[in-house]
Amino acid sequence: MEVRWTIWLLFVSHVCAWYIPGYSVKRYNDDEPIPLLVNKIFSDNTQLQYAYFDLPFVCPPSGKSHGGSPFGSGHSVSLNLGEILRGDRIMTSDFELHMGKNVECQALCTVEVGRKDVKWGRKLIKQGYVAEWIADNLPGATRFVTVDRSRKYYATGFKIGDLDFSPASGKPRYFINNHFNIVIRWRGAPEGGKVVVGFEIYPKSIRSDDYQENGCPKHVHDEHEGLELYIPPNLSRLKELYPGSSYLPEDDDEADDGATLKVPYSYSIYFKEEPGVEWSNRWDLYFNNQDEGSLTHWLAVLNSLTISGVLGVAVFVIWSRTVQGDIKGRGDGAMEDSQHRSRSKSEKKGEGLLDQGADVERDGDVSDDEALEDVSGWKLLHADVFRVPEYSGLLAPLVGSGMQLLFMASGLLILSCLGILNPSFRGGFVSVGMGLFVFAGLFSGYFSGRLYKTFKGVQWRKNTLITALFFPGLVFCLIFILNLFVWAQASSTAIPFGTLVGLLALWLLIQVPLVYLGSWYGFVRAQPWEHPTKTSSIARQIPPQPWYLHSIQGTILTGLPPFAVVFIELLFVFKNLWQDKSGYYYVFGFLSAVSTIVMITVSEVTIIATHSQLCAENYHWWWQSFLTGGSSAFWVFAYCIWYYLFHLHITGFVSSLLFFSYSFLACAVYGLLTGTVGFLTAYAFIRRIYSSVKID
């Protein structure tokens, strides 16, 4: 069985998320217009994004329609929820592209930029911002070749400008890119027409003096001196501000003296046939690090299987020797014999009979302990192991929310591996994930309500409200507070107010009723989970525990094996989320394999930790199993801190706040999900082992 699962996981990891081709193919005839859309600018050094048309130094939309479109330039394209949440702001533009029609040069506009706008532009160039345009659902990219010239790949977006240093003074100089060479790669379609298989943009900076009266530069393809974002300081004003001073600041960016810098914009269009690229494979060049990282992914899977296999052997030993061997060898007989001897001694002492539902008296009598010294430690807890834990009214909602997240994560990974969620479905991962989370409110309510009923709770409506409002409410409040900081930066990363209202309505008007429906069925219609042993009226005294069973350090240490399974794959996930936003993470096959092994590892670690706790005669396993399962989230968050300090170059308070807040939120989601897996595994394990021992 284990070999079969291993082969299956390796097969799944090899399925590097193919996507369904052909369902949205757009074929163009000669001279047919190709809409060019502008989106946003983003940087790997900050988490703040800005809409392209919000930049004061680019050509504003003229409002004219092009190519027979009913909408003029500057019209906002309808976006799905995922696109809005990821900061996309897609709009129509004034660029005119016609299939097969090359354009040597086309003037766009001339913009006059003031001192404050120049200062902001220089800041954006310094932070490495790149712009994203879209044509035929492909993001504009810059084409690169590897060092050995054996492979080509794409980097999404193009630089809005370049930073250079003066050879004489060594001071930084900022050049704005104002001419765009647009390359459309196409191939003929078998059904007729042409399809776009590549969209490339190569910007360059050309100073204003090299432009002619028609708005185009002289000799477009020649080398030109760049257009520097710089306005000379107003010396007369500076002398007034610093009278008698021998030093005058070179930058006078804050002055509003009406000085401007003229920035002309133009573009060229070239169509090139690419017969070697199929339309279904046109995204391959964007996955620039899949091939070179394939070996590392396989090492991650092998590392995960090794750790999980070692823990699996430990679980097998526990089950075969400690549990099954004990039951077959002496379990019931020893239990009954010890109870008989204990009752005999009690009768001789005149202290009465032991309670039939308990194992021993709760007064810790030494003679009783001696009578039961040949009984395994975990068996002594048969009358206490299913005792209702403290704060059960919080544990049930957390387990319900964890099942909701588990359903959402499983659905996303399955759909991604099948190719339904692919890069051409922009924002689909977040949109579908939100839909799955809302629909999974049924599972959240059901498991929470049934577990609450098992805990002998009676206020099931209160439990339903906690389940529906607690975790989603904390997430919404955190996002709302972070959104205030982003709003203050005028960034497109900020969620619009209307979208926030929509999310609130989606939560309160759809998810909450679904949670209520699932909770009603789980509490009212379904039966509570039956336990194989009865619980005594008097709680057993717990002996002193080893440090690793009752300290927070011990719980944290149990999170190391699951973290060791997942940390290699985290390198790729973090690189695409935080460090290389122009790339695409699309090896969901490997991620699915590693995620499955992580869940198995969490289950194995929880079984080992729970069995050790029971053998130490500690029946407070409910919360402990939940914390053990979710303890690897602590190490993931520590990894986030390490990654921030040694790999990222994030600047600014708001960007750092966003990084740590979203990292904490992601770790909380991960911990809640794995904690639920650990809890359910321990619950099933304990019910199974105690159902094997018959207690009279």
Side-chain angles (χ1 to χ4, degrees):
M1 178 64 71
E2 185 175 350
V3 175
R4 185 191 308 171
W5 276 105
T6 301
I7 295 175
W8 169 250
L9 288 174
L10 291 177
F11 171 75
V12 171
S13 65
H14 187 68
V15 181
C16 294
W18 52 273
Y19 74 97
I20 304 173
Y23 72 94
S24 59
V25 179
K26 171 63 176 175
R27 302 176 185 86
Y28 298 91
N29 297 320
D30 287 335
D31 207 29
E32 183 177 351
I34 303 176
L36 192 152
L37 310 174
V38 297
N39 187 6
K40 62 187 178 184
I41 64 169
F42 59 90
S43 171
D44 296 337
N45 300 319
T46 177
Q47 307 308 315
L48 299 177
Q49 304 173 2
Y50 299 95
Y52 184 79
F53 279 146
D54 286 345
L55 304 179
F57 47 83
V58 303
C59 289
S62 64
K64 299 178 181 179
S65 60
H66 303 278
S69 172
F71 306 108
S73 62
H75 173 77
S76 296
V77 177
S78 298
L79 305 176
N80 58 47
L81 181 60
E83 290 176 310
I84 296 175
L85 294 180
R86 68 196 292 262
D88 287 348
R89 300 296 182 264
I90 304 176
M91 299 181 181
T92 56
S93 71
D94 286 304
F95 292 92
E96 297 186 33
L97 281 70
H98 296 267
M99 174 58 75
K101 184 179 180 181
N102 294 333
V103 177
E104 188 70 18
C105 180
Q106 176 66 45
L108 193 61
C109 77
T110 299
V111 182
E112 293 189 2
V113 186
R115 293 186 182 275
K116 292 184 178 180
D117 297 335
V118 166
K119 181 180 180 180
W120 190 36
R122 296 170 67 176
K123 180 180 178 181
L124 295 178
I125 295 174
K126 182 179 181 180
Q127 293 178 337
Y129 272 88
V130 298
E132 182 183 71
W133 294 352
I134 301 171
D136 195 49
N137 205 29
L138 279 178
T142 305
R143 196 173 194 177
F144 294 95
V145 180
T146 55
V147 178
D148 58 0
R149 308 187 69 84
S150 62
R151 188 171 58 87
K152 300 176 182 179
Y153 64 92
Y154 277 165
T156 303
F158 62 91
K159 292 183 178 181
I160 64 173
D162 293 291
L163 171 62
D164 195 5
F165 293 90
S166 173
S169 61
K171 295 182 179 179
R173 302 175 65 191
Y174 302 90
F175 298 93
I176 186 73
N177 290 326
N178 58 334
H179 181 82
F180 312 104
N181 292 312
I182 301 173
V183 178
I184 303 294
R185 299 187 180 273
W186 61 274
R187 65 163 295 155
E191 300 82 1
K194 300 176 181 178
V195 293
V196 176
V197 295
F199 176 33
E200 304 167 10
I201 303 172
Y202 302 97
K204 61 191 304 185
S205 180
I206 303 177
R207 65 176 183 174
S208 304
D209 295 343
D210 291 341
Y211 271 80
Q212 307 176 86
E213 294 182 358
N214 61 358
C216 285
K218 307 172 185 176
H219 311 293
V220 177
H221 301 293
D222 292 348
E223 292 293 331
H224 296 271
E225 185 177 347
L227 175 59
E228 185 178 0
L229 273 181
Y230 176 73
I231 300 178
N234 190 335
L235 297 180
S236 60
R237 179 180 180 277
L238 290 177
K239 290 179 180 180
E240 294 178 358
L241 293 176
Y242 305 96
S245 175
S246 59
Y247 170 77
L248 297 178
E250 296 184 3
D251 294 331
D252 191 23
D253 297 327
E254 300 300 329
D256 188 13
D257 56 356
T260 60
L261 173 68
K262 290 186 177 181
V263 182
Y265 281 93
S266 57
Y267 62 95
S268 303
I269 304 173
Y270 303 97
F271 287 85
K272 295 186 177 182
E273 186 176 6
E274 196 76 23
V277 179
E278 297 287 343
W279 186 92
S280 58
N281 299 325
R282 64 179 188 164
W283 282 90
D284 290 354
L285 290 177
Y286 292 90
F287 310 144
N288 52 53
N289 56 359
Q290 284 191 15
D291 295 334
E292 60 188 22
S294 179
L295 178 61
T296 308
H297 285 294
W298 282 108
L299 290 176
V301 174
L302 182 61
N303 168 74
S304 304
L305 289 174
T306 302
I307 297 174
S308 180
V310 172
L311 294 175
V313 171
V315 172
F316 177 77
V317 170
I318 289 175
W319 182 257
S320 60
R321 289 189 174 183
T322 308
V323 180
Q324 288 185 340
D326 199 28
I327 292 172
K328 293 179 180 179
R330 37 176 289 220
D332 298 344
M335 182 69 70
E336 295 174 359
D337 182 63
S338 63
Q339 289 180 349
H340 175 72
R341 286 184 295 167
S342 180
R343 285 195 294 268
S344 299
K345 289 186 178 183
S346 298
E347 290 174 357
K348 290 179 181 180
K349 292 182 180 181
E351 295 178 354
L353 297 176
L354 287 173
D355 181 67
Q356 295 298 321
D359 203 12
V360 294
E361 287 184 303
R362 304 311 183 195
D363 57 3
D365 190 87
V366 177
S367 61
D368 294 336
D369 292 337
E370 293 176 354
L372 295 174
E373 62 183 357
D374 58 346
V375 180
S376 298
W378 63 270
K379 290 183 180 179
L380 300 178
L381 303 179
H382 72 93
D384 297 278
V385 70
F386 294 109
R387 190 176 300 279
V388 177
E390 295 182 352
Y391 307 108
S392 59
L394 179 60
L395 181 59
L398 288 179
V399 172
S401 297
M403 289 301 299
Q404 187 176 9
L405 293 172
L406 182 61
F407 177 85
M408 179 193 71
S410 302
L412 286 175
L413 289 177
I414 292 174
L415 293 176
S416 298
C417 289
L418 294 177
I420 297 175
L421 299 180
N422 56 75
S424 63
F425 185 9
R426 186 176 290 101
F429 195 85
V430 177
S431 300
V432 174
M434 188 70 67
L436 290 174
F437 181 81
V438 172
F439 174 75
L442 284 170
F443 299 92
S444 174
Y446 172 79
F447 281 92
S448 176
R450 191 171 183 183
L451 184 61
Y452 183 73
K453 188 175 184 179
T454 304
F455 288 154
K456 296 180 173 57
V458 293
Q459 299 179 343
W460 70 275
R461 290 184 176 85
K462 178 182 178 181
N463 177 75
T464 301
L465 288 177
I466 296 176
T467 305
L469 302 179
F470 180 67
F471 175 73
L474 291 179
V475 174
F476 183 85
C477 291
L478 176 61
I479 292 178
F480 180 79
I481 294 174
L482 293 176
N483 212 46
L484 296 178
F485 288 92
V486 182
W487 265 337
Q489 300 294 320
S491 170
S492 66
T493 312
I495 304 175
F497 180 76
T499 303
L500 284 176
V501 174
L503 290 175
L504 190 64
L506 193 67
W507 170 31
L508 298 179
L509 300 182
I510 299 180
Q511 190 214 356
V512 171
L514 289 176
V515 173
Y516 183 88
L517 181 61
S519 183
W520 172 83
Y521 188 85
F523 187 89
V524 178
R525 300 297 298 273
Q527 296 297 323
W529 282 298
E530 296 182 358
H531 297 153
T533 62
K534 296 181 180 180
T535 302
S536 63
S537 58
I538 302 176
R540 179 185 180 85
Q541 184 176 359
I542 300 176
Q545 300 289 297
W547 68 271
Y548 55 84
L549 292 180
H550 64 82
S551 64
I552 188 64
Q553 295 93 331
T555 302
I556 292 177
L557 287 177
T558 57
L560 276 176
F563 173 73
V565 168
V566 77
F567 88 98
I568 296 180
E569 197 64 30
L570 283 179
L571 286 171
F572 295 93
V573 176
F574 275 42
K575 182 178 180 180
N576 285 271
L577 282 179
W578 302 113
Q579 193 173 3
D580 186 14
K581 300 185 183 69
S582 62
Y584 290 90
Y585 181 88
Y586 207 55
V587 283
F588 288 103
F590 286 107
L591 183 61
S592 300
V594 173
S595 300
T596 303
I597 300 174
V598 167
M599 296 299 106
I600 296 175
T601 305
V602 167
S603 301
E604 293 169 342
V605 170
T606 307
I607 289 175
I608 296 172
T610 302
H611 181 263
S612 301
Q613 185 177 0
L614 295 179
C615 289
E617 301 181 23
N618 185 351
Y619 54 85
H620 294 311
W621 61 271
W622 301 90
W623 277 105
Q624 190 64 31
S625 64
F626 186 87
L627 295 176
T628 298
S631 58
S632 58
F634 169 83
W635 296 102
V636 175
F637 188 72
Y639 182 83
C640 293
I641 299 176
W642 174 83
Y643 199 86
Y644 174 85
L645 295 175
F646 296 99
H647 283 268
L648 297 182
H649 305 285
I650 294 179
T651 58
F653 170 76
V654 176
S655 295
S656 300
L657 177 65
L658 290 176
F659 173 83
F660 283 108
S661 299
Y662 285 129
S663 297
F664 176 79
L665 180 59
C667 291
V669 169
Y670 170 79
L672 186 57
L673 191 153
T674 54
T676 300
V677 172
F679 171 83
L680 295 178
T681 302
Y683 192 23
F685 172 74
I686 291 176
R687 290 180 63 194
R688 179 68 182 85
I689 64 174
Y690 280 96
S691 65
S692 303
V693 180
K694 297 181 180 179
I695 307 297
D696 295 333

